[in-house]
Amino acid sequence: MYYVVVAAYVLICLVLSLVILLQQGRGGDIASAFGGSSSQAAFGARSGATLLTKATSIAAVLFMLFALTLSVLGQRGGSRSVVTGTAAPPPATTKPAPVVPPPATPAPTAPAK
């Protein structure tokens, strides 16, 4: 369930970012100074603003609710580790084998003349 909530949360984050970027700025941009402000709206001058405003509000509320849900699931241990519930291996009772150095090779002797 935790991973389903995370996937939905990521989707809501993407939708919220997209809806925010689609909104028209409220300030006096250069197009409105020359009378071209209505040509920039994709849904018309008035209806697009209300649709995007409602979509932003809904996405923001869902963003907050899913963030709270993920916080609660994380506190309860909603995402468990793969090794949770497995027994630890028993401690080793045998001693490790001693390290034996390699046999020493005799030094080469000088040939007799």
Side-chain angles (χ1 to χ4, degrees), residues 90-107:
T93 56
T94 61
K95 293 182 181 178
V99 177
V100 179
T105 58

Side-chain angles (χ1 to χ4, degrees), residues 36-59:
S37 63
S38 63
S39 65
Q40 289 185 353
F43 302 108
R46 190 74 185 142
S47 65
T50 58
L51 175 70
L52 289 175
T53 303
K54 288 180 184 178
T56 304
S57 300
I58 291 170

Side-chain angles (χ1 to χ4, degrees), residues 1-111:
M1 174 162 153
Y2 179 78
Y3 295 108
V4 173
V5 175
V6 169
Y9 185 67
V10 169
L11 184 67
I12 289 171
C13 290
L14 293 174
V15 168
L16 182 62
S17 299
L18 182 70
V19 171
I20 288 173
L21 289 174
L22 283 176
Q23 287 186 3
Q24 183 178 3
R26 293 190 185 258
D29 51 354
I30 192 73
S32 64
F34 297 108
S37 63
S38 63
S39 65
Q40 289 185 353
F43 302 108
R46 190 74 185 142
S47 65
T50 58
L51 175 70
L52 289 175
T53 303
K54 288 180 184 178
T56 304
S57 300
I58 291 170
V61 168
L62 288 175
F63 176 82
M64 290 180 224
L65 287 176
F66 273 82
L68 184 63
T69 303
L70 284 173
S71 173
V72 170
L73 286 177
Q75 289 293 326
R76 281 195 218 159
S79 64
R80 300 206 182 267
S81 174
V82 176
V83 294
T84 301
T86 59
T93 56
T94 61
K95 293 182 181 178
V99 177
V100 179
T105 58
T109 59

